[in-house]
Amino acid sequence: MSSTRATTELTKDSSRTSVSQPRRSGSFFLYRFSLLTAAAGFILVMAGGLVTSTDSGLAVPDWPLSYGSLFPPMVGGIRFEHSHRVIAATVGLLTLTQTLCILFLERRRTIRWLALVSFALVVFQGILGGLTVLLQLPHEISIAHACLGQAFFATLVILATALSPAWLSERMVLQPSKEGRKLAKMAVLTTAAVYLQLILGAALRHVGWLPDLIGAHAAGAFAAAACILWTAGTTLRQYRRNRLLQGTARLLPWLLMAQIILGITTFAQGAAVGAATAHVAVGALLLAACAVLATSVYRFIVRPLQPTLMTGRPLRAYLELTKPRLTFLAVLTSLLGFFFAAPLASFNAHLLLAVFFGTALVGGGSGALNQWMEREADGRMDRTKHRPLPSGLLSPRSALVFGIGLSIAGFLILSLGANPLAGGLAALTAGSYLFIYTPMKSVSPLCTLAGAVPGAIPPLIGWAAVRNSFGIEAWILFSILFLWQLPHFLAIAWAYREDYAKADFKMLPIVDPDGDLTSRQIVLYLLALIPVSLMPAAFGLAGWLYFLTALISGLTFLGFGLAIAWTRSNVSARRLFLASIMYLPVILITMTLDKVI
């Protein structure tokens, strides 16, 4: 809800171009990072299978720590269960970082929603993992935990595929056809059949080798194998021009053969650890490959032409008005303040929901009102002219009513569901963003400082909702966010200074064409951020792990700032922007982990 709302636009124009254009640095970075995240997700699946295969699920009786420590003795089943938890925490960090990067850098709405789904899945997966331990391995939760892990991994693989250069290649698009629609339906059916097999397999592993389950799993294997072979064969035979479809279809029979061999070996050896774990891992790969093939068929055959505008999609237009990516960041940081203010021993779900929905509605309403106020300026800039108001998809009156309604609803939820202080902070956030920062953009380069204030208030909202007061800890969180926004936004203003000039916005890089003052301020803010980011360790919000992480991250962030000061190039500005996206989730998640442990 701050000046950082404009940061979502850094790479927005690049994704509006034809699919045949070369990928820009942000997209290439996302693709590489998505591969890393998917690989980590696969390791997590294997680690979970190893825990079940070795009966180590209850080797550690508490959660999320292991015997009250982050470093328990790695003996017996503890080494499997605790390693699984460490890997899961790492995957959660990677998924959150990937989600934030996609929300900031990716324009395709389907990809943004899929990223949010992946983050929701990993959070839910962690909750199920904790319940599995705390409730002593109930069959229903254990099976759900295992199957959700497979779905989560498949989602990561689909994301990595959709971010790949092949996915955006115009040469791989084929003409829609009746055969293509039939293949798409069969590919979805195949994916469902494989997932059903994984559910039955999880039931066998957790409930036991019951004759009925064995029979159902064997029958399901024949049905799934028939679907896989038909789908792969049809793809290979009819769509030779598409490399992605061909590559995935060629992979399926090999994975199927390996899975059948491992299944027979697992049964013959009485669920030996090696065979059983490999069977789980290959099953995850098979599910992911089927899901990728199904989505690829829809992408390249059934719906090959993807419109760049939101024509005919009013619901999506209203969603676009809320600036969902920045609203997501505001909600996330408000929940961070809530988490640090709330005692670990108690959990107030009612209060948590009030903070979540109240902040989301106020943030979305502020975004809509901001677009209403800047509709004419947005129409003059290349990167914003396709928004709902400049494009004419929504009327200004509709946006005004929508924004006011959301803002009032969020204010009431926070005031009545939490306390008037939290509601007042939300009103202050919206008011300063709309009536100070927004008009200042056309008047003074000091607008960056003014916009950083409402962007840093959300943690105070979460803190005030719990404590009904402020503490030094809350102001530390505020200061970190405030200082982080300044180099983050200046990097964007530098990269898009020509576009801002079209709208007559007085950003600092526009009034400072040589970049002397801009680069000095970036370095100054980054230097100030380092000691401020270390303050949580000094005031008991975090420990030594956070201290080291914040110090290393801050120095790295500073290095990117010095690079832009030295080169004054758009490439350095984009790299600083990407570094800022990486910096924030790393230190906030480490701070959270330090509180838990």
Side-chain angles (χ1 to χ4, degrees):
M1 294 183 290
S2 71
S3 62
T4 56
R5 290 183 177 279
T7 64
T8 63
E9 309 298 337
L10 180 62
T11 58
K12 196 168 184 179
D13 271 356
S14 63
S15 58
R16 293 185 185 280
T17 57
S18 169
V19 292
S20 61
Q21 288 187 336
R23 299 174 66 84
R24 298 194 176 185
S25 58
S27 297
F28 185 72
F29 160 79
L30 276 181
Y31 173 54
R32 290 297 181 90
F33 194 85
S34 69
L35 291 177
L36 173 64
T37 307
F42 182 63
I43 294 174
L44 178 60
V45 169
M46 290 194 295
L50 193 60
V51 168
T52 305
S53 300
T54 57
D55 293 325
S56 303
L58 292 180
V60 178
D62 54 341
W63 184 87
L65 299 180
S66 299
Y67 289 98
S69 172
L70 186 62
F71 303 103
M74 301 295 278
V75 295
I78 299 176
R79 66 180 182 272
F80 297 114
E81 174 62 17
H82 184 68
S83 298
H84 177 227
R85 296 184 184 188
V86 172
I87 295 170
T90 303
V91 171
L93 172 61
L94 290 173
T95 305
L96 175 59
T97 304
Q98 175 177 269
T99 301
L100 290 173
C101 290
I102 288 175
L103 291 177
F104 276 102
L105 298 173
E106 179 61 53
R107 191 196 67 86
R108 290 171 289 172
R109 293 176 186 81
T110 303
I111 305 305
R112 296 205 300 264
W113 279 111
L114 190 60
L116 289 172
V117 168
S118 71
F119 179 66
L121 287 176
V122 77
V123 171
F124 193 38
Q125 179 75 343
I127 293 173
L128 287 179
L131 292 176
T132 299
V133 174
L134 298 177
L135 299 180
Q136 303 288 308
L137 297 180
H139 295 323
E140 298 83 358
I141 296 180
S142 298
I143 293 171
H145 180 62
C147 296
L148 190 66
Q150 304 273 7
F152 168 65
F153 171 66
T155 304
L156 293 181
V157 175
I158 293 173
L159 269 173
T161 305
L163 293 168
S164 68
W167 189 267
L168 298 178
S169 175
E170 189 176 29
R171 291 172 296 178
M172 299 177 69
V173 173
L174 303 170
Q175 290 296 323
S177 63
K178 181 178 179 181
E179 292 78 11
R181 289 188 288 271
K182 181 179 179 181
L183 177 60
K185 293 178 182 178
M186 194 63 193
V188 172
L189 177 62
T190 301
T191 305
V194 171
Y195 194 56
L196 178 61
Q197 273 297 96
L198 295 180
I199 295 174
L200 291 172
L204 277 172
R205 290 165 64 82
H206 290 281
V207 176
W209 293 79
L210 302 179
D212 291 343
L213 280 177
I214 295 175
H217 193 52
F222 282 107
C227 292
I228 290 171
L229 293 175
W230 188 94
T231 303
T234 302
T235 304
L236 291 171
R237 190 170 57 252
Q238 295 183 358
Y239 300 101
R240 298 179 181 178
R241 291 172 50 198
N242 188 293
R243 297 189 307 277
L244 184 57
L245 292 177
Q246 286 283 305
T248 309
R250 289 194 187 101
L251 181 63
L252 283 175
W254 292 102
L255 290 174
L256 176 63
M257 182 173 64
Q259 186 71 339
I260 291 174
I261 294 173
L262 287 170
I264 295 173
T265 304
T266 301
F267 181 76
Q269 295 183 353
V273 172
T277 303
H279 192 51
V280 172
V282 175
L285 291 174
L286 191 59
L287 175 67
C290 290
V292 166
L293 183 60
T295 53
S296 299
V297 170
Y298 273 97
R299 161 68 177 88
F300 295 112
I301 304 173
V302 178
R303 299 181 62 188
L305 300 178
Q306 297 183 347
T308 58
L309 300 179
M310 297 176 292
T311 306
R313 304 291 181 91
L315 291 180
R316 288 189 176 183
Y318 279 110
L319 178 64
E320 184 78 5
L321 275 180
T322 65
K323 297 189 175 181
R325 287 169 284 188
L326 267 299
T327 299
F328 172 78
L329 181 60
V331 172
L332 196 64
T333 52
S334 68
L335 292 179
L336 184 76
F338 177 92
F339 175 75
F340 280 104
L344 283 176
S346 61
F347 176 76
N348 191 328
H350 168 79
L351 198 57
L352 178 66
L353 291 175
V355 172
F356 179 88
F357 286 107
T359 306
L361 290 174
V362 171
S366 299
L369 293 173
N370 169 261
Q371 291 193 48
W372 175 79
M373 296 172 70
E374 295 185 339
R375 60 191 183 275
E376 293 183 1
D378 284 346
R380 295 194 293 268
M381 293 191 291
D382 292 335
R383 61 190 182 83
T384 57
K385 64 184 179 182
H386 297 295
R387 284 178 173 177
L389 294 181
S391 65
L393 189 58
L394 293 177
S395 68
R397 184 175 182 276
S398 299
L400 178 62
V401 173
F402 180 69
I404 292 175
L406 288 186
S407 301
I408 292 176
F411 169 75
L412 291 176
I413 288 175
L414 283 169
S415 299
L416 301 178
N419 52 60
L421 179 58
L425 285 171
L428 176 63
T429 304
S432 58
Y433 175 64
L434 294 172
F435 302 116
I436 298 178
Y437 165 68
T438 299
M440 276 189 69
K441 289 168 70 175
S442 302
V443 177
S444 169
L446 293 177
C447 62
T448 305
L449 287 170
V453 173
I457 291 179
L460 298 181
I461 295 175
W463 186 283
V466 176
R467 302 284 183 91
N468 200 20
S469 63
F470 299 128
I472 185 63
E473 300 91 344
W475 288 111
I476 291 173
L477 295 176
F478 172 91
S479 301
I480 291 174
L481 276 178
F482 178 83
L483 289 171
W484 168 81
Q485 289 178 89
L486 297 172
H488 175 77
F489 180 71
L490 287 174
I492 293 185
W494 178 269
Y496 283 105
R497 56 192 182 277
E498 294 180 359
D499 217 20
Y500 279 119
K502 293 179 183 178
D504 197 29
F505 285 153
K506 299 298 188 296
M507 301 301 175
L508 182 58
I510 296 175
V511 301
D512 174 40
D514 294 332
D516 293 335
L517 184 57
T518 302
S519 58
R520 284 201 300 270
Q521 287 200 14
I522 288 175
V523 173
L524 177 64
Y525 295 138
L526 288 172
L527 285 171
L529 180 61
I530 293 176
V532 172
S533 68
L534 300 179
M535 291 177 67
F539 285 87
L541 274 177
W544 64 268
L545 175 63
Y546 169 81
F547 181 89
L548 292 176
T549 303
L551 180 60
I552 295 172
S553 300
L555 291 173
T556 304
F557 199 6
L558 175 62
F560 283 98
L562 291 172
I564 192 175
W566 178 262
T567 64
R568 313 284 175 86
S569 67
N570 285 355
V571 173
S572 295
R574 293 179 186 277
R575 288 174 179 171
L576 177 63
F577 172 76
L578 293 174
S580 69
I581 293 178
M582 297 291 292
Y583 172 84
L584 191 63
V586 167
I587 67 164
L588 294 184
I589 291 177
T590 308
M591 192 188 304
T592 304
L593 289 175
D594 251 7
K595 179 181 180 179
V596 172
I597 63 178

